[in-house]
Amino acid sequence: MRRARTADVAQIRALVEPLIRQRILTPKEQVNYYEFLQEYQLVVDVLPDGSERVVGCAALHVLWDDLAEARTVATDPTYRRRGIGRALIEQLIADARAIGVTRLFCLTFETRFFGSLGFAEISGTPVSPDVYVELLRSHDEGTAEFLDLARVKPNTLGNTRMLKHL
């Protein structure tokens, strides 16, 4: 496991593209991967020739002083059931704690997986009215999904909003 590098963007996009086509993950423009590259943790497989293949990714996106989102969580289908997703989320949890985040949000179809890591379903918006007003100013789709705004309902159809207290 390591932090993402600019040279990894093409492989990250290739890894998440099938999940975007299946409407499991929300599409992003290529520029967004570069803009938020520092948020990504990767699991790579080192091939016999020394090159690396990205086989898992996850990003930690801070929403507020005590709140972050685990987003763009993906594992290569041929590497599933090896603990890669769990390792990535555990790393995001450690990273979140290290920077002072006390709650981690996710929007997911994988409720059993995230539940096994201590996430619980939420309803409403678990922030104060003051913070809610501030979060409304964000242009980030993930923040809108956290707030459960009507404009992002087509993106979230079938997903479950979950939260973990760290």
Side-chain angles (χ1 to χ4, degrees):
M1 187 174 306
R2 65 168 172 78
R3 290 216 166 272
R5 303 175 187 136
T6 56
D8 298 319
V9 169
Q11 286 193 67
I12 295 168
R13 291 185 72 208
L15 180 64
V16 302
E17 185 57 36
L19 299 171
I20 291 169
R21 283 195 309 272
Q22 296 169 34
R23 296 182 49 89
I24 293 170
L25 293 179
T26 306
K28 293 178 182 61
E29 298 297 331
Q30 182 171 347
V31 67
N32 297 132
Y33 290 98
Y34 287 107
E35 288 175 330
F36 300 110
L37 188 69
Q38 69 280 359
E39 298 179 352
Y40 282 85
Q41 290 285 351
L42 304 179
V43 172
V44 296
D45 187 5
V46 180
L47 302 176
D49 67 0
S51 64
E52 293 181 337
R53 177 178 175 197
V54 174
V55 298
C57 69
L60 179 69
H61 183 76
V62 176
L63 301 174
W64 200 249
D65 70 337
D66 66 334
L67 179 66
E69 179 185 5
R71 59 169 53 171
T72 319
V73 180
T75 303
D76 183 302
T78 60
Y79 287 77
R80 290 200 181 128
R81 301 270 184 241
R82 297 185 191 186
I84 291 171
R86 179 171 295 278
L88 284 163
I89 297 302
E90 288 172 350
Q91 183 62 54
L92 294 189
I93 290 168
D95 292 347
R97 285 184 173 132
I99 61 173
V101 169
T102 58
R103 297 182 301 160
L104 189 58
F105 164 75
C106 69
L107 180 69
T108 185
F109 289 106
E110 301 295 336
T111 56
R112 182 184 266 156
F113 169 73
F114 280 96
S116 75
L117 289 160
F119 288 77
E121 287 186 39
I122 60 170
S123 60
T125 305
V127 294
S128 70
D130 300 5
V131 172
Y132 183 88
V133 168
E134 288 295 323
L135 291 176
L136 281 175
R137 295 181 177 142
S138 174
H139 297 288
D140 182 74
E141 290 298 297
T143 302
E145 291 163 353
F146 172 75
L147 296 175
D148 204 24
L149 300 179
R151 71 177 173 81
V152 294
K153 292 291 187 187
N155 293 345
T156 63
L157 193 59
N159 277 289
T160 301
R161 296 162 62 242
M162 300 183 81
L163 190 69
K164 176 180 176 67
H165 293 269
L166 308 181

